[in-house]
Amino acid sequence: MSTQLVEIRKPIAGDVPIARTLDALVREGALYEKLDGNRVRCYACAHRCLINDGARGICQVRYNRGGKLFVPHGYVAALNPDPTEKKPFFHILPGSTTLTFGMLGCDLHCANCFTGDVRVVTSKGALPLKEVFALGERVQRTHDAEIAYPTDLKTIAASGTWRKVRKVFKHHYAGPITSIRPFYLPELRCTPEHRVYAVLNPNDPQPQVIEARALTTAHYLAIPKHYAFSGSQGVDVHAALQPFEATYRVPHEFNTNDIQEIIAASAQGATSRELGARFGKRADYMRHVRSKVQRGLWRNERVEGVALEDNTVRFWKERRPGIPSVIPLTDSLARLFGYYCAEGSVTKDKSRPNSFDLSFSFGPTEARLAAETQRLMRQVFGIDAPVLQRETTRTVAVSKSSVAVLFQSLCGSRASDKRVPPHFFDAPRNVVESFLDAYIQGDGHRYPNGKISVTTISADLAYGIAYLALKVGYLPSLYENTLPAEKKIQGRLVKQAKRQFTVVWYTSDAVPRRWREAEDYYLVPLREIASENFDGAVYNMEVDEEHNYLANFFLVKNCQNWDISQTLRDADAGGMPERVTPEQIVAAARRTGAQLIGSSYNEPLITSEWAVEVFKVAQQHSIRGVYVSNGNATREALEYIRPYVVGYKIDLKSMRDKNYRKLGMPLQVVLDSIQRVKEMGFWLEVVTLVIPGFNDSNEELMDAAQYIRSVSPDIPWHVTAFHPDYQMTDTGYTPAATLIRAAEIGQEAGLHYVYAGNLPGYVKNYENTYCPKCNTLLVERYGYRIPQVRVTRDGKCPRCGKTIPGIWV
């Protein structure tokens, strides 16, 4: 926003939830019909929402309370003086300024989400999306969603490198869920519109983005093959142990009963000298005790954390020396962690509440593994750990609490909650391989045909092991089995976990498998595509740079088509609302020399009542109104704004209905709006953002141009360049040659005024306006600069006298 407008701003308090704030900035709307049962029908946009009492329209800012439709009033979310050409209007007052205001809400939508059990590979482990959401240190709650903002969380993208997770989205969804059931790996459950990377022909070198509902059993899902490994790093032992706190008894000469007696006697007027005589202490000592008790400072217990001493750490009262505060992540440490995940456990000493024991329990014949673990403990931690021979196990016992809690903190304490330490998700290759080898030796099987199989009751551990296998170059299989509640061991029934996970991979090609291999991807065939009803929470992530990530190891798209100016859903998507009156907006327009006021940034149709209030005041000062719209219009809304709006810009995003339906409306609605706006006498300009691979084919561009020509050859058509931004940075820039080709197609279709935008100086003469009759240069442009305007005041070509349609004065 312009600093010129600062004096009209009245920011809404940041600590007030935005939804609650907006609900107070409303008035009863005009564009609706009252129906039976306190229902209303909204006419602001072509969704024509039927809104029950207490509910909201799809835009989220128009809502029904008690049978009345309330609509936004008295605020702006964005306010800025812009060149009119930026809107873009090329045939309205060239070189003028438009004071543009934006509201909140949008009539487009997306629902690209997974169920919460789908796992993603992150820098903190292969976690279910619902747990990734829980990692958010800050959660923003909106009308229809929650947005979690994790700190220092990364995920693996298609390049095999780590990318920052900016946000994790959660919202309620009721409707069909697509279940994608591949061979080898767990199913993906997502909304039908969610996009995944897949190929139909396994010989295709590059997977394409396909909606889940469009998949068939002939498709193959893509899994990246190549992953980056880090350089040397260390384990911050101090940070891992810091959350742990131990409670110790404080030695006192007085026990709890003594203190209660001192309190009672003091209340009855006993002096310190009298209390001292009773307990055999000096009077001054008793005064000290009474003072601490009265001030609430007397403690029978003390809570302490980890102590850092000379680059070592230990718990208070734990025997010196401590263990290193930072331990290099070497092959030796990796093997220890691998053996622990396979055979280790941590138990708390029942007789000593702050004492923990670490055990590695190998089979009675696995003397070599026990000896290696014993050696590694001495090498890494400087601890001599005895090997205890028991009836069914050979156990390496470690009685140092700080070491036990370190393993518990990083790997879990028992079989059901084991996990791969997060350090191994981004470790050197040799370290990852050492961890895997130790884990396999401890609790896995190697077969002569190259098959490796491991089994665990921990889902976290299974997915972590599967990812490490994938990272070092093997496509894993991961299966989940349901187990009976009990089983017999050595003649007695024991309870067991309900689920068991098996991870399998092959180090040779001896066994043929169904999956195919491309240069950069594994291609996994599909067993079944199913649909089921779902009612619950769904999730997605926003990922920096590449805007994709691994879901159950398959490559999927980042959350995209994020709603325009959706501060209701995303604090970073738009500005906070600011209280303002129509008079203040118009005063700001006059100060900035604006000849026009425009409603833009989001979809203006859904806040038309407020826009009309602003435009009415603007008309009193000869300032005209314009709309910058997506074209999802109704006749009722257009008739309502027509007396106050002279110019109307419509985005024609695509000529393919399937692309529009992804945004929540049919293409025909936009085409009808173009026709209706022109018929009703608005000055109309149409914009198509040309996106590589989306709508830049000659056929689609010609379809757009021919449709506009069928309405009127005098409608200006702007073909503008796409720039990667927000969630769409994975799509490339639109080349200048593509815009020039699009403009030539528009001229070929018979349009008189075709412009190429967003690439000033690179699109030949397609920034300028020429007379369609004599080709005289009428308006010269370079970006938003207007070196000359030669259209006469009555809107004619100065050379041949042809009328040039538009608003020129």
Side-chain angles (χ1 to χ4, degrees):
M1 299 185 200
S2 170
T3 55
Q4 295 171 300
L5 309 183
V6 68
E7 63 267 33
I8 73 167
R9 295 181 175 185
K10 296 181 181 178
I12 294 169
D15 60 347
V16 176
I18 188 169
R20 195 187 322 151
T21 298
L22 292 182
D23 285 353
L25 297 173
V26 293
R27 286 191 181 176
E28 185 179 356
L31 291 168
Y32 81 101
E33 175 188 4
K34 293 185 177 183
L35 303 174
D36 294 338
N38 276 353
R39 299 182 302 165
V40 301
R41 174 77 68 183
C42 178
Y43 296 135
C45 74
H47 286 296
R48 295 181 178 272
C49 294
L50 177 63
I51 308 174
N52 292 323
D53 189 6
R56 298 177 182 275
I58 195 171
C59 64
Q60 297 297 312
V61 295
R62 300 172 74 88
Y63 65 86
N64 179 356
R65 292 294 182 273
K68 292 183 179 181
L69 185 67
F70 290 91
V71 303
H73 178 274
Y75 76 88
V76 294
L79 187 63
N80 207 47
D82 294 320
T84 299
E85 283 74 18
K86 188 177 179 180
K87 299 297 94 184
F89 286 114
F90 277 21
H91 286 232
I92 300 180
L93 306 178
S96 65
T97 295
T98 298
L99 180 69
T100 310
F101 66 91
M103 305 295 285
L104 299 176
C106 184
D107 58 337
L108 303 184
H109 65 93
C110 66
N112 300 323
C113 292
F114 289 106
T115 55
D117 56 344
V118 170
R119 290 182 177 253
V120 296
V121 177
T122 76
S123 52
K124 297 185 184 296
L127 304 177
L129 271 167
K130 59 186 176 185
E131 292 186 19
V132 178
F133 180 85
L135 293 174
E137 295 188 5
R138 176 171 66 90
V139 176
Q140 176 194 354
R141 290 174 173 81
T142 70
H143 284 295
D144 61 348
E146 296 177 69
I147 308 167
Y149 296 81
T151 300
D152 296 328
L153 183 68
K154 297 180 181 179
T155 190
I156 290 291
S159 64
T161 55
W162 293 101
R163 303 300 186 194
K164 179 178 175 58
V165 177
R166 293 189 67 235
K167 306 183 187 91
V168 187
F169 305 106
K170 172 186 177 182
H171 69 90
H172 182 266
Y173 171 78
I177 282 284
T178 299
S179 296
I180 307 168
R181 296 166 186 164
F183 285 88
Y184 308 116
L185 288 164
E187 70 176 341
L188 284 170
R189 298 170 69 231
C190 59
T191 52
E193 298 86 357
H194 205 295
R195 296 167 303 156
V196 301
Y197 286 81
V199 298
L200 193 56
N201 181 350
N203 296 317
D204 287 346
Q206 192 68 28
Q208 303 299 312
V209 177
I210 299 175
E211 287 189 354
R213 61 185 169 188
L215 291 170
T216 69
T217 53
H219 282 95
Y220 294 75
L221 295 187
I223 298 176
K225 285 174 58 179
H226 309 297
Y227 298 88
F229 290 87
S230 74
S232 60
Q233 56 178 284
V235 175
D236 189 338
V237 177
H238 183 244
L241 298 184
Q242 210 163 23
F244 178 84
E245 292 182 335
T247 301
Y248 302 95
R249 291 178 182 173
V250 178
H252 287 302
E253 297 186 47
F254 296 124
N255 59 33
T256 302
N257 291 334
D258 294 336
I259 293 298
Q260 290 176 349
E261 185 177 342
I262 290 170
I263 294 172
S266 298
Q268 293 172 4
T271 67
S272 296
R273 184 180 300 277
E274 291 169 341
L275 289 173
R278 184 183 305 182
F279 288 97
K281 301 294 182 183
R282 297 193 315 272
D284 60 340
Y285 180 71
M286 295 309 301
R287 279 194 293 272
H288 168 72
V289 171
R290 293 173 68 184
S291 174
K292 291 193 71 171
V293 171
Q294 289 168 356
R295 289 181 292 149
L297 301 178
W298 187 269
R299 296 287 185 269
N300 291 316
E301 294 179 339
R302 184 177 65 191
V303 177
E304 298 286 0
V306 65
L308 179 62
E309 302 172 336
D310 299 326
N311 297 320
T312 66
V313 294
R314 65 179 180 87
F315 295 126
W316 292 99
K317 296 196 175 182
E318 184 180 25
R319 183 176 300 172
R320 290 183 173 87
I323 60 176
S325 60
V326 176
I327 302 177
L329 191 57
T330 61
D331 291 352
S332 297
L333 183 60
R335 295 190 69 80
L336 272 178
F337 280 132
Y339 286 137
Y340 176 81
C341 286
E343 303 287 9
S345 64
V346 171
T347 56
K348 190 172 183 179
D349 193 318
K350 294 180 180 178
S351 61
R352 300 171 61 199
N354 298 318
S355 181
F356 295 84
D357 294 316
L358 167 64
S359 301
F360 297 82
S361 299
F362 299 102
T365 62
E366 294 178 318
R368 183 183 62 81
L369 299 185
E372 183 186 5
T373 302
Q374 188 180 40
R375 176 181 61 80
L376 291 173
M377 288 301 304
R378 186 180 302 111
Q379 175 187 333
V380 175
F381 294 101
I383 294 174
D384 290 321
V387 177
L388 307 178
Q389 185 68 49
R390 293 171 176 154
E391 181 179 355
T392 59
T393 63
R394 185 182 293 264
T395 301
V396 179
V398 181
S399 59
K400 194 167 186 65
S401 292
S402 54
V403 175
V405 173
L406 174 66
F407 276 77
Q408 176 181 281
S409 171
L410 298 181
C411 309
S413 61
R414 56 187 185 275
S416 59
D417 64 8
K418 288 284 184 66
R419 57 189 176 274
V420 175
H423 305 76
F424 293 102
F425 285 80
D426 186 26
R429 174 183 282 274
N430 63 294
V431 171
V432 175
E433 290 174 338
S434 294
F435 174 87
L436 278 177
D437 180 69
Y439 180 78
I440 294 164
Q441 289 194 49
D443 198 27
H445 300 278
R446 296 181 188 269
Y447 297 85
N449 62 2
K451 176 181 176 180
I452 294 175
S453 174
V454 297
T455 301
T456 176
I457 61 173
S458 167
D460 288 343
L461 183 57
Y463 278 84
I465 293 293
Y467 173 66
L468 295 187
L470 178 64
K471 184 166 184 170
V472 299
Y474 306 108
L475 179 65
S477 302
L478 198 161
Y479 306 103
E480 179 180 345
N481 301 305
T482 302
L483 303 177
E486 296 179 327
K487 71 174 181 179
K488 186 173 289 188
I489 298 179
Q490 295 185 342
R492 60 190 181 90
L493 283 176
V494 297
K495 293 182 179 180
Q496 64 176 357
K498 296 179 181 179
R499 299 186 304 167
Q500 184 181 74
F501 300 88
T502 301
V503 184
V504 175
W505 66 93
Y506 288 81
T507 59
S508 74
D509 298 329
V511 178
R513 308 190 74 192
R514 294 174 182 266
W515 55 266
R516 306 294 181 87
E517 193 168 354
E519 182 177 356
D520 296 318
Y521 297 92
Y522 298 108
L523 303 174
V524 178
L526 300 183
R527 187 190 306 271
E528 183 183 8
I529 308 291
S531 182
E532 59 190 69
N533 291 326
F534 181 85
D535 189 344
V538 289
Y539 302 80
N540 208 331
M541 302 196 306
E542 180 190 329
V543 180
D544 268 352
E545 299 183 66
E546 295 180 55
H547 300 290
N548 49 54
Y549 57 93
L550 304 187
N552 285 2
F553 306 116
F554 295 106
L555 189 63
V556 302
K557 281 297 288 181
N558 180 80
C559 180
Q560 201 164 349
N561 293 330
W562 188 245
D563 295 347
I564 302 167
S565 296
Q566 285 300 281
T567 299
L568 289 179
R569 297 181 172 94
D570 182 349
D572 292 342
M576 286 294 291
E578 298 173 6
R579 300 180 193 275
V580 67
T581 66
E583 289 77 12
Q584 288 174 312
I585 294 176
V586 174
R590 297 181 67 190
R591 283 197 303 276
T592 58
Q595 296 173 267
L596 301 158
I597 291 180
S599 184
S600 181
Y601 301 131
N602 69 331
E603 174 47 54
L605 287 165
I606 60 177
T607 52
S608 288
E609 290 93 341
W610 168 243
V612 164
E613 286 201 41
V614 175
F615 294 154
K616 284 179 178 179
V617 177
Q619 278 189 347
Q620 299 170 13
H621 298 274
S622 301
I623 299 174
R624 288 172 275 196
V626 295
Y627 255 36
V628 178
S629 170
N630 63 31
N632 192 26
T634 63
R635 178 174 293 279
E636 291 90 341
L638 293 176
E639 290 175 346
Y640 181 76
I641 68 171
R642 181 65 191 95
Y644 313 100
V645 173
V646 297
Y648 204 106
K649 190 272 308 190
I650 290 180
D651 284 324
L652 180 57
K653 301 176 186 296
S654 172
M655 286 298 288
R656 301 295 178 257
D657 187 63
K658 65 177 183 179
N659 290 335
Y660 261 103
R661 288 188 183 274
K662 293 177 185 177
L663 301 176
M665 65 181 181
L667 167 64
Q668 192 60 47
V669 169
V670 182
L671 301 182
D672 290 347
S673 293
I674 291 173
Q675 178 85 33
R676 187 174 292 124
V677 166
K678 180 64 178 176
E679 290 174 350
M680 293 178 68
F682 295 88
W683 174 252
L684 171 65
E685 304 196 23
V686 176
V687 177
T688 297
L689 181 66
V690 181
I691 303 176
F694 176 74
N695 62 357
D696 63 339
S697 69
N698 289 348
E699 294 77 14
E700 186 165 355
L701 291 169
M702 179 58 79
D703 287 347
Q706 288 179 337
Y707 178 78
I708 297 169
R709 170 66 177 80
S710 72
V711 177
S712 170
D714 287 334
I715 297 174
W717 186 37
H718 302 261
V719 287
T720 59
F722 172 80
H723 296 284
D725 192 16
Y726 201 39
Q727 275 104 352
M728 288 192 69
T729 58
D730 55 334
T731 300
Y733 289 82
T734 307
T738 299
L739 288 193
I740 293 170
R741 170 168 54 86
E744 290 171 346
I745 288 173
Q747 289 181 321
E748 181 184 341
L751 292 174
H752 294 160
Y753 307 100
V754 183
Y755 301 104
N758 288 359
L759 292 176
Y762 290 91
V763 289
K764 296 184 178 180
N765 294 323
Y766 287 112
E767 292 183 86
N768 302 329
T769 300
Y770 293 88
C771 176
K773 182 177 180 181
C774 67
N775 205 37
T776 294
L777 175 63
L778 300 175
V779 182
E780 182 184 0
R781 299 181 182 86
Y782 183 88
Y784 304 139
R785 289 196 302 109
I786 315 295
Q788 60 173 323
V789 178
R790 301 182 61 197
V791 181
T792 64
R793 289 184 60 82
D794 57 352
K796 297 183 182 297
C797 171
R799 181 177 179 183
C800 69
K802 178 175 175 58
T803 297
I804 308 301
I807 300 172
W808 305 105
V809 291

